[in-house]
Structure formats: structure tokens, C-alpha cells
């Protein structure tokens, strides 16, 4: 017997199943951070990139458990920002909502930049800004038309990405078993361990990989955004939070291992998709072209068109790889602010009468909560030591001081008017 579909007070329907919720989260997380950005991080850190993914995965798990705990206590909320408004006040809640939106805009800009990189695989002579304008128009139109099919559309977009990753992993396993030879040498596990040191290009490059990998995990909070429309929220919250990150890590680590056993990490290009490089070396040029098309679906996200138009303008004067690094850095800055405020709101929730001691509890809260906040703070500080990220980090501080100050004054004026 199918669960009865419940209508929320705002008119939305609780029609999303666990498969929708998890796939939307996976689809929102697995994108250019893996398909394109992994080339940059591997070139910086070598095989140690897997350690970076594991460390960040651990802290994202703690953050998601904090969000999951609040949603378990009140699954009627539609976004985690609602809890920030409830426990930190409407001023901070409003500031967080706009900050999150800005972060999403820069995610879209990164996806659009990556799209130009992918398309230039086929059309190398076409300027990046023209490709970006064309795809911006197409994707805005598609998203406007398909908005009502969001759940099912995102499910299948996520499925395409997963199929691409699984196809590459299976190709790598097949080549490993058959001791295949490529122009770069034998496919072997020793390609990972050969000349390996923990910091092959110095500890600075190791630390510099964290912001890019942080960007790769952004979007995992989409699990919580879909809870308000889940059929059985309490059941879905536990399964989605606990299982989604594990699956993402398996895909990430599996993909990284396969990339590095086929392509010696010292030979990997930082400026093109490792997936395309793998299939070309495997002798499947058609598959390489197909995967290049598949990764385009990782850029099929709703665009805030006006601001995203900045991307083609940047591409007129700056190299694509630099544009990608800059916009991912700014996006990460915004997300760090939002995620940190979410964890602070969770601490307020724990001290409130809403706290459910027998709910979906964040593990080892007294240790993991402050550690996660500290960790996000360290990543933010590290941005000031990475040339491409300094502008974004300074911009995030300016945004917080200026827009946060405006919001504080606006709320103070509203409160004063209400008392008169």
C-alpha cells in the first residue's frame, strides 16, 4: 500500500521518496568538484587527495547529523535556514538566506565555467564566453519548463552521473585485471604508491587542496531541503543523512583510485576532466566524448541568470582554469559562513526546550560540534594564503560586515516601528 501523499500548509506536497531525497543530494553534491576539480587537487597533493576527501567527509558527516537532528525534531521546516532564524533570530536568518543564495550563484558560475571547458573538447576554437552564454540561455529555459518535474528530473540527472562514475570504475578494474598498457605505462596499483610522499608538492599545496574538495562536497545539504516534501520524514531523515555521505565518499574515493591507477598522478593534467583523460587512455575515444557529454549534466542546475552573466565577462579577460578557481573559492567562502551558522544554531537548539534527547542525536556532540566549527574556521583562514582565494575571502568578510550590518539596522528599525 502506497503512503498517503500529504499536503503542506504552503501548498507543497510530501511526495518525495527516499530514493528521490538521496539522489537529489547525490546529484547536488557530485558535480564539477569531482568531474573537473579532482584533476587540480590530484596534481597538488598526489594520492594524499584521498586523505583530504576522508577528512572533509568526516566533518561534513557531523554537520549533516546536526542538521538531521534539528529536522528530526521538526520535519515541517523546508530548509535548514529556518532553524537559523528560529534559534539565532530573524536578522541572522535573513542574512544567512541571502548568503546561501550568493553561494549558490557562484556554484552556478563554476558549473558554467566547467561547461565551457567540457564543450571546448569538441569545439576548441569557440571562445569560452560564447559557450557560456549559449548554455546559460538553454539551461534557464529548461529549468523554467521543468520546475514542476524537479524531483524526478534531479533523480535521473543524478543517475547519469553515477552511471558515469561506475562506468569509469569498471573500466579501471578491467584494465587492472588485464594489466593493460597505455601511452603512459602499465595500469597498476603501484601508480598510486610510486614516488609517494604525504606532501609531494609541500604542505602548502596539501592545505590548498582543502577548499577545492570542500567545494566538491557542497550541495550535500540538499538532503535537508527535500525533507519538507518527503513522504515519511522521520524514516527518510535517518536513512538519507547516514547513507548519502557514505555513498558519495565511495564514489569519490573509488573514482580517485581508478584515475590514479590508470594515469600516474604525476602525469595527470589539472586543466581537463580526469574522466575524459581516463577513457582516452583506455582507447575509447567515443566513450571519452560520451563522458564529456555526461559531465555536462553536472552543470544542469537552476541559474540565477543575471548574476551568472558575470561568468562570460570574466572569461573574456581571464583563463578558464583561473575563473573556475576564483568562483569556486567565493562559493566556498559563502558556504563556510552558512554551514558555521547552522552549527551554531544547532548548539542553540540543544540548549532549548525543543531538544529531543531520544531523537536523531548528533554523535559525540560536546566534542564534534566545536571541532567542526573550528575546522570550517581553519579552512576559511587558509583561503588568505592561497592567491586565487584571497579576493573571495576578503569579499566574504566585506559581505558579512556590510550586508550583516544593513540587516541588523533594518531589523532594529522594524522592531522600533512595531513598538510605536
Amino acid at each position: 500500500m502506497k503512503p498517503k501523499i500529504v499536503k503542506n500548509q504552503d501548498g507543497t506536497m510530501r511526495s518525495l521518496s527516499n530514493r528521490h531525497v538521496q539522489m537529489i543530494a547525490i546529484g547536488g553534491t557530485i558535480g564539477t568538484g569531482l568531474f573537473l576539480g579532482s584533476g587540480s587537487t590530484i596534481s597538488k597533493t598526489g594520492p594524499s587527495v584521498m586523505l583530504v576527501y576522508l577528512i572533509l567527509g568526516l566533518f561534513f558527516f557531523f554537520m549533516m547529523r546536526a542538521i538531521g537532528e534539528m529536522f528530526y525534531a521538526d520535519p515541517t521546516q523546508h530548509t535548514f535556514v529556518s532553524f537559523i532564524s528560529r534559534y539565532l533570530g530573524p536578522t541572522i536568518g535573513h542574512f544567512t538566506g541571502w548568503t546561501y543564495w550568493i553561494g549558490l550563484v557562484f556554484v552556478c558560475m563554476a558549473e558554467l565555467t566547467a561547461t565551457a571547458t567540457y564543450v571546448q573538447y569538441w569545439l576548441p576554437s569557440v571562445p569560452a564566453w560564447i559557450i557560456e552564454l549559449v548554455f546559460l540561455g538553454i539551461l534557464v529555459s529548461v529549468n523554467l519548463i521543468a520546475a514542476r518535474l524537479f524531483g524526478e528530473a534531479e533523480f535521473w540527472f543524478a543517475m547519469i552521473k553515477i552511471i558515469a562514475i561506475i562506468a569509469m570504475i569498471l573500466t579501471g578494474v578491467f584494465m587492472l585485471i588485464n594489466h593493460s598498457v597505455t601511452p603512459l605505462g602499465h595500469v597498476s596499483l603501484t601508480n598510486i604508491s610510486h614516488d609517494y610522499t604525504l606532501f609531494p608538492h609541500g604542505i602548502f599545496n596539501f592545505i590548498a587542496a582543502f577548499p577545492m574538495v570542500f567545494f566538491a562536497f557542497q550541495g550535500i545539504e540538499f538532503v535537508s531541503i527535500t525533507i519538507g516534501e518527503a513522504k515519511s520524514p522521520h524514516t527518510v531523515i535517518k536513512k538519507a543523512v547516514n547513507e548519502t555521505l557514505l555513498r558519495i565518499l565511495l564514489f569519490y574515493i573509488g573514482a580517485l583510485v581508478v584515475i590514479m591507477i590508470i594515469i600516474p598522478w604525476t602525469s595527470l593534467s589539472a586543466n581537463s576532466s580526469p574522466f575524459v583523460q581516463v577513457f582516452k587512455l583506455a582507447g575509447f575515444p567515443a566513450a571519452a566524448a560520451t563522458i564529456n557529454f555526461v559531465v555536462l549534466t553536472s552543470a544542469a542546475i537552476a541559474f540565477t541568470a543575471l548574476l551568472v552573466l558575470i561568468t562570460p565577462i570574466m572569461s573574456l579577460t581571464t583563463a578558464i582554469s583561473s575563473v573556475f578557481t576564483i568562483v569556486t573559492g567565493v562559493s566556498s567562502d559563502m558556504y563556510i559562513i552558512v554551514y558555521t551558522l547552522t552549527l551554531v544554531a544547532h548548539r542553540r537548539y540543544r540548549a532549548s526546550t525543543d531538544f529531543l534527547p531520544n531523537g536523531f542525536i548528533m554523535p559525540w556532540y560536546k566534542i564534534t560540534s566545536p571541532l567542526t566549527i573550528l575546522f570550517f574556521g581553519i579552512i576559511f583562514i587558509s583561503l588568505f594564503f592561497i592567491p586565487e582565494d584571497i579576493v573571495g575571502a576578503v569579499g566574504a568578510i566585506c559581505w558579512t560586515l556590510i550586508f550583516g550590518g544593513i540587516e541588523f539596522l533594518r531589523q532594529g528599525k522594524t522592531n522600533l516601528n512595531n513598538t510605536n
Side-chain angles (χ1 to χ4, degrees):
M1 182 178 175
K2 293 183 179 180
K4 183 180 178 182
I5 295 178
V6 178
K7 186 174 182 178
N8 293 315
Q9 290 183 351
D10 61 0
T12 56
M13 308 297 289
R14 288 193 175 274
S15 58
L16 296 181
S17 65
N18 181 55
R19 78 180 178 99
H20 285 126
V21 171
Q22 290 204 40
M23 279 299 200
I24 289 170
I26 291 172
T29 307
I30 296 177
T32 50
L34 174 65
F35 287 119
L36 183 61
S38 57
S40 172
T41 52
I42 293 173
S43 67
K44 286 184 189 331
T45 67
S48 296
V49 69
M50 291 185 284
L51 180 61
V52 178
Y53 272 87
L54 287 172
I55 292 171
L56 274 159
L58 178 65
F59 283 105
F60 268 88
F61 171 74
F62 292 141
M63 183 196 73
M64 288 307 302
R65 284 298 297 261
I67 292 175
E69 181 177 350
M70 291 187 288
F71 268 102
Y72 191 88
D74 185 4
T76 63
Q77 300 301 314
H78 278 264
T79 73
F80 59 93
V81 177
S82 302
F83 295 107
I84 295 174
S85 297
R86 177 185 296 182
Y87 297 113
L88 300 183
T91 300
I92 296 178
H94 196 252
F95 165 78
T96 304
W98 279 102
T99 303
Y100 186 56
W101 175 73
I102 289 291
L104 285 173
V105 167
F106 277 92
V107 168
C108 294
M109 291 171 69
E111 303 284 355
L112 194 61
T113 306
T115 297
T117 304
Y118 303 145
V119 172
Q120 284 185 331
Y121 173 85
W122 292 296
L123 305 171
S125 61
V126 179
W129 67 272
I130 292 178
I131 297 170
E132 290 164 353
L133 282 176
V134 170
F135 270 84
L136 178 59
I138 292 171
L139 291 172
V140 167
S141 301
V142 168
N143 278 281
L144 288 174
I145 294 169
R148 295 179 63 185
L149 304 174
F150 173 74
E152 200 64 31
E154 284 298 308
F155 174 85
W156 289 108
F157 275 134
M159 183 63 74
I160 291 171
K161 298 177 193 179
I162 290 169
I163 290 171
I165 295 172
I166 292 174
M168 193 188 71
I169 291 174
L170 291 177
T171 299
V173 171
F174 176 81
M175 294 177 73
L176 180 65
I177 293 172
N178 288 277
H179 307 289
S180 300
V181 180
T182 73
L184 298 176
H186 284 83
V187 175
S188 170
L189 289 170
T190 58
N191 285 338
I192 297 177
S193 58
H194 183 66
D195 290 335
Y196 171 73
T197 58
L198 185 59
F199 308 124
H201 298 300
I203 191 168
F204 175 80
N205 276 296
F206 179 79
I207 294 172
F210 275 82
M212 181 60 76
V213 177
F214 182 94
F215 175 77
F217 279 100
Q218 287 174 205
I220 196 170
E221 76 284 346
F222 285 176
V223 167
S224 63
I225 292 173
T226 56
I227 295 300
E229 294 176 44
K231 294 176 184 176
S232 306
H234 282 121
T235 302
V236 168
I237 288 169
K238 288 186 175 182
K239 289 180 68 67
V241 170
N242 285 336
E243 296 175 10
T244 300
L245 183 60
L246 179 60
R247 292 179 181 179
I248 289 170
L249 273 175
L250 286 173
F251 287 132
Y252 277 175
I253 300 299
L256 292 170
V257 168
V258 166
I259 288 168
M260 288 186 285
I261 67 172
I262 296 176
I263 307 174
W265 61 271
T266 52
S267 303
L268 190 71
S269 171
N271 297 319
S272 63
S273 169
F275 283 67
V276 175
Q277 294 178 60
V278 163
F279 280 104
K280 287 178 72 174
L281 281 177
F284 302 128
T290 303
I291 291 299
N292 205 58
F293 172 77
V294 166
V295 294
L296 282 174
T297 67
S298 69
I301 300 174
F303 282 84
T304 306
L306 185 60
L307 280 180
V308 179
L309 278 172
I310 295 171
T311 312
I313 297 172
M314 292 175 68
S315 295
L316 279 170
T317 57
T318 311
I320 293 180
S321 58
S322 298
V323 174
F324 183 74
T325 302
I326 291 168
V327 296
T328 56
V330 175
S331 174
S332 295
D333 297 333
M334 297 293 108
Y335 269 78
I336 288 171
I337 293 171
V338 171
Y339 289 161
T340 301
L341 288 173
T342 303
L343 287 162
V344 173
H346 175 254
R347 294 182 68 80
R348 291 283 184 89
Y349 156 78
R350 276 293 187 113
S352 73
T353 55
D354 296 334
F355 172 54
L356 292 179
N358 60 343
F360 185 44
I361 303 297
M362 178 184 184
W364 312 296
Y365 160 77
K366 290 184 179 179
I367 298 173
T368 56
S369 176
L371 265 183
T372 306
I373 293 173
L374 176 63
F375 180 72
F376 286 162
I378 291 172
I379 291 181
F380 186 81
I381 292 171
S382 74
L383 297 170
F384 289 94
F385 299 94
I386 304 170
E388 297 90 343
D389 291 330
I390 292 175
V391 173
V394 172
I397 292 175
C398 293
W399 166 265
T400 301
L401 292 176
I402 296 172
F403 185 73
I406 291 172
E407 275 300 298
F408 179 79
L409 293 174
R410 186 187 66 82
Q411 190 63 37
K413 185 177 180 180
T414 301
N415 293 337
L416 183 63
N417 291 335
N418 290 337
T419 55
N420 292 335

